[in-house]
């Protein structure tokens, strides 16, 4: 029931009526990414090289996460998928708002269990950090290996793996709990902008400046399909929550829908 808008300072607003509830101000440079936690926190990443943890009910800054040496471009939570599909269920159509919210919370609690929420961040400094942001301002580990700027990081739906896309033309796969390096996916000949996981965690799709969309097997880390069709750079890709289709878009101004 909230919409977040971003400028140098960013604002939490209620969708209904557009009422500004609170202004959260502490970053010293532009905000590049934001995430709602399933535990009712807000995480914000910035060009000031920090990630901040906020309590939205009263606007309190809980902690600041520091470690990156350059802009923080991207971040992801191991609970992102559970939060995304919590109320995505045809059987919930027509259900009242309270019922849908309750079911969505149940999906989140079932996924997270008693474990803490993990976050991964990626930066212009070519590194990634794994965090437990709700409880600590110290990183769990520093993840190195990319040779250029990291464009996107993303946890698999089950939270067990992390994929990262970089200007170094590669996608890397990491352990979602320890941050340990697992494998590098090579095949793109230009920068990789985005990745997306299939709902069953078995496949990964990537979009690149080389105008292709590639599908990778997460058991063998081999290239399964090379989807050519875009006339220019592919900026964004996303797998449908049901797992049956992929959508891609880019510089050629079109969206392409691919069936798995």
């Amino acid at each position: 029931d909230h919409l977040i808008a971003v400028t140098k300072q960013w604002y939490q607003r209620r969708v209904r009526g557009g009422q500004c509830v609170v202004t959260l101000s502490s970053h010293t440079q532009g905000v590049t990414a934001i995430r709602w936690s399933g535990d009712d926190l807000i995480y914000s990443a910035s060009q000031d090289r920090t990630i901040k943890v906020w309590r939205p009910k009263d606007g309190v800054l809980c902690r600041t996460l520091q470690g990156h040496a350059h802009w923080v471009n991207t971040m992801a939570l191991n609970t992102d998928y559970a939060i995304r599909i919590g109320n995505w269920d045809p059987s919930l159509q027509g259900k009242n708002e309270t019922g849908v919210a309750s079911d969505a919370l149940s999906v989140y609690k079932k996924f997270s269990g008693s474990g803490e929420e993990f976050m991964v961040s990626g930066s212009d400094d070519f590194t990634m950090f794994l965090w437990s942001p709700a409880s600590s301002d110290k990183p769990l580990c520093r993840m190195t290996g990319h040779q250029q700027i990291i464009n996107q990081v993303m946890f698999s739906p089950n939270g067990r793996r992390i994929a990262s896309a970089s200007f170094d033309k590669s996608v890397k796969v990491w352990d979602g709990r320890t941050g340990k390096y697992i494998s590098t996916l090579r095949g793109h000949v230009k920068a990789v902008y985005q990745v997306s996981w299939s709902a069953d965690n078995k496949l990964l799709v990537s979009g690149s400046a080389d105008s292709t969309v590639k599908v990778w097997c997460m058991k063998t880390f081999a290239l399964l399909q090379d989807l050519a069709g875009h006339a220019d750079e592919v900026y964004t890709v996303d797998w449908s929550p049901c797992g049956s289709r992929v959508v891609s878009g880019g510089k050629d101004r079109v969206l392409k829908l691919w069936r798995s």
Side-chain angles (χ1 to χ4, degrees), residues 223-235:
L223 177 63
L224 287 183
Q225 287 182 290
D226 199 338
L227 308 177
H230 280 285
D232 213 324
E233 301 182 28
V234 180
Y235 292 146

Side-chain angles (χ1 to χ4, degrees), residues 99 133 158 165-166 200 248:
N158 62 13
S166 171
D200 61 6
S248 58

Side-chain angles (χ1 to χ4, degrees), residues 129-145:
F129 281 96
L130 188 64
W131 312 84
S132 181
S135 60
S136 175
D137 61 359
K138 305 299 182 185
L140 299 173
C141 71
R142 182 172 182 259
M143 302 153 69
T144 61

Side-chain angles (χ1 to χ4, degrees), residues 61-229:
L61 175 61
C62 301
R63 61 188 57 85
T64 297
L65 314 183
Q66 295 178 299
H68 284 295
H70 211 294
W71 296 355
V72 185
N73 297 322
T74 176
M75 59 183 175
L77 302 175
N78 66 331
T79 53
D80 276 342
Y81 188 77
I83 293 171
R84 178 183 181 183
I85 58 94
N87 61 356
W88 186 84
D89 186 340
S91 66
L92 299 181
Q93 290 184 4
K95 206 166 187 177
N96 63 43
E97 185 176 332
T98 302
V100 170
S102 176
D103 286 346
L105 182 60
S106 296
V107 170
Y108 173 79
K109 293 296 185 183
K110 181 180 179 181
F111 176 86
S112 60
S114 58
E116 288 190 83
E117 197 168 52
F118 289 93
M119 173 198 290
V120 62
S121 58
S123 168
D124 268 19
D125 65 9
F126 310 167
T127 71
M128 300 158 58
F129 281 96
L130 188 64
W131 312 84
S132 181
S135 60
S136 175
D137 61 359
K138 305 299 182 185
L140 299 173
C141 71
R142 182 172 182 259
M143 302 153 69
T144 61
H146 280 296
Q147 302 302 309
Q148 292 191 46
I149 291 169
I150 296 169
N151 291 316
Q152 190 196 24
V153 291
M154 191 177 194
F155 275 95
S156 60
N158 62 13
R160 295 177 184 172
R161 289 181 174 175
I162 298 166
S164 55
S166 171
F167 270 104
D168 66 11
K169 309 173 190 176
S170 76
V171 175
K172 291 186 183 295
V173 183
W174 317 78
D175 186 283
R177 286 284 181 177
T178 66
K180 182 180 178 181
Y181 167 79
I182 296 176
S183 185
T184 298
L185 312 181
R186 298 193 184 280
H188 287 295
V189 296
K190 290 186 178 180
V192 185
Y193 291 131
Q194 278 197 2
V195 291
S196 185
W197 292 86
S198 64
D200 61 6
N201 310 284
K202 294 180 179 179
L203 302 173
L204 186 77
V205 64
S206 57
S208 168
D210 64 13
S211 80
T212 69
V213 175
K214 297 185 187 297
V215 181
W216 310 86
C217 172
M218 288 294 97
K219 182 178 180 179
T220 64
F221 305 110
L223 177 63
L224 287 183
Q225 287 182 290
D226 199 338
L227 308 177

